[in-house]
Amino acid sequence: MSTPPASPAPASYKTTPNRSVSVRGVTFVYRQLGPDDGVPLILLNHLSAVLDNWDPRVVDGLAARRPVITFDNRGVGGSGGSTPDTIEAMARDAVLFIRALGYDRVDPLGLSMGGFIAQVVAAEEPGLVRKLILAGTGPAGGPGIDKVTSLTVKDIIKGVLTRKDPKEYLFFTGTAGGRRAARAFLDRLKERTDDRDKAISLSSFRAQLKAIHRWGRQAPADLSRIHQPALVANGESDRMVPSVNSVDLAARLPQGELAPLYPDAGHGGIFQHHDSFVPRALEFLEP
C-alpha cells in the first residue's frame, strides 16, 4: 500500500525539497519524488553518503515511473540521533523509517553498505519487501569486504594529496574512460545548489566503517532466507566490494538475477552506466 505525499511530488531531484519525519522521537530527513501511486522505491545509501550523493540521473530516471524516496539514516547528514555501528541496527532503523511514512510494502535499492542493509531488511521483514536491487555490494563474510576501511582511508589520503575527491579512486577505474566518468559524476552531484544536505560527521563515518568491517568478518551469510526477486548490479572492476561478491550474491539468492557487469567500471558502476542501469532496474521492478 502506498501513502501519497501531502503535496505533488517534484519532478527533479535537483529541486526536491528536504522533508522530515519523526521516528521514535528522532528526526529523519528525506526527499521524495516521482508519481504518487505504486510501490515506493527506497534508496539505501553507501558509506559516508548523504542525500546529495545520489546521482540525479539515477534518481530522476527511476522517478520517471516510480515513487522514489532517499533518506539519511540515523545520525547521518541532517537526521538526528547517533549512527549505529552494526548493519543490523541500521536495518532496524530503516524499517522504522519506512513504517513511519506509512508504507507496508516497498522495493529497496541498496548501494554498497546500503546493499548490506537491504539484505537484512529483506531477510528480517519479508512481508515488507516486494523486490530488491543490490548494487556494488556483497553478502556478509564476502571476500575483501573487511578491507573497505583500510582501502577507504588510503584513498582519502590520496585524494588529499592530489586535491581530488576520493570517490574518483574509490568508485571509478583509473583508465581514461573511468576518469572521464568520475568527473562527469562529480559534476552531476553539484547540480543541486540550494538546500543541500549536511556532510556526514566524523563520528558517524567511524561508526559506519566499524559496521562494514564487522559485516565483512561475519560468517558467510545464509542467503536462502531472502526469497524476494533480487537484481544484482556492479561494475566489473569494483575495488571496494570486489565484483566477485556480486556474482556470488546473484548465484546464491533463490531468485537472484545478475545484470551483466558494467565494463570499465568500478564501485560506482550504476552511476557511470546510468543510461543502462535505469531501464534495466525499471524493467525488473515492473509488477
Side-chain angles (χ1 to χ4, degrees):
M1 177 178 180
S2 300
T3 302
S7 58
S12 169
Y13 199 56
K14 178 179 178 180
T15 56
T16 302
N18 295 330
R19 305 183 185 192
S20 64
V21 62
S22 179
V23 180
R24 295 188 176 180
V26 175
T27 298
F28 278 52
V29 173
Y30 69 101
R31 294 175 187 162
Q32 181 166 348
L33 67 164
D36 291 345
D37 59 339
V39 178
L41 186 60
I42 308 294
L43 274 53
L44 301 163
N45 224 335
H46 61 81
L47 169 68
S48 81
V50 296
L51 296 175
D52 295 317
N53 290 111
W54 284 110
D55 190 329
R57 299 300 178 274
V58 169
V59 178
D60 289 350
L62 294 170
R65 285 168 50 186
R66 298 295 308 276
V68 174
I69 296 170
T70 64
F71 77 106
D72 286 334
N73 213 332
R74 186 182 300 269
V76 176
S79 291
S82 299
T83 301
D85 60 7
T86 68
I87 297 299
E88 291 75 15
M90 294 177 188
R92 288 192 292 271
D93 284 337
V95 170
L96 290 173
F97 165 75
I98 291 166
R99 296 204 184 281
L101 292 184
Y103 297 117
D104 54 22
R105 196 73 163 160
V106 298
D107 293 334
L109 187 167
L111 172 61
S112 189
M113 183 185 73
F116 306 158
I117 296 169
Q119 291 173 60
V120 175
V121 173
E124 298 295 332
E125 299 282 346
L128 181 64
V129 176
R130 185 186 70 109
K131 296 183 179 182
L132 69 159
I133 299 175
L134 303 170
T137 193
I145 295 176
D146 62 343
K147 305 295 192 299
V148 167
T149 297
S150 58
L151 180 64
T152 299
V153 171
K154 177 183 175 181
D155 280 359
I156 287 175
I157 294 172
K158 185 177 180 180
V160 171
L161 295 175
T162 60
R163 298 183 179 180
K164 292 184 178 180
D165 191 308
K167 286 189 285 295
E168 288 196 34
Y169 306 115
L170 292 167
F171 275 46
F172 298 88
T173 65
T175 67
R179 291 193 296 270
R180 285 194 300 271
R183 290 192 294 270
F185 167 69
L186 294 171
D187 285 344
R188 294 196 296 272
L189 295 189
K190 298 173 184 175
E191 289 176 356
R192 182 185 179 101
T193 56
D194 297 328
D195 203 18
R196 289 181 64 87
D197 199 4
K198 297 178 181 178
I200 193 169
S201 68
L202 181 58
S203 61
S204 291
F205 180 56
R206 286 173 172 167
Q208 289 183 345
L209 285 174
K210 189 173 184 179
I212 292 171
H213 188 73
R214 284 175 166 172
W215 181 262
R217 288 294 181 93
Q218 289 181 27
D222 178 12
L223 299 179
S224 67
R225 297 177 59 203
I226 301 176
H227 295 286
Q228 300 91 334
L231 176 66
V232 182
N234 203 354
E236 64 181 8
S237 303
D238 189 340
R239 296 172 59 240
M240 293 195 73
V241 181
S243 304
V244 65
N245 287 287
S246 297
V247 178
D248 183 43
L249 266 180
R252 290 168 55 202
L253 288 166
Q255 293 197 70
E257 179 181 345
L258 180 67
L261 297 178
Y262 299 116
D264 191 23
H267 198 57
I270 67 169
F271 299 151
Q272 181 173 343
H273 292 269
H274 57 84
D275 53 347
S276 298
F277 170 72
V278 168
R280 183 67 189 87
L282 289 173
E283 178 186 28
F284 169 76
L285 293 169
E286 285 296 319

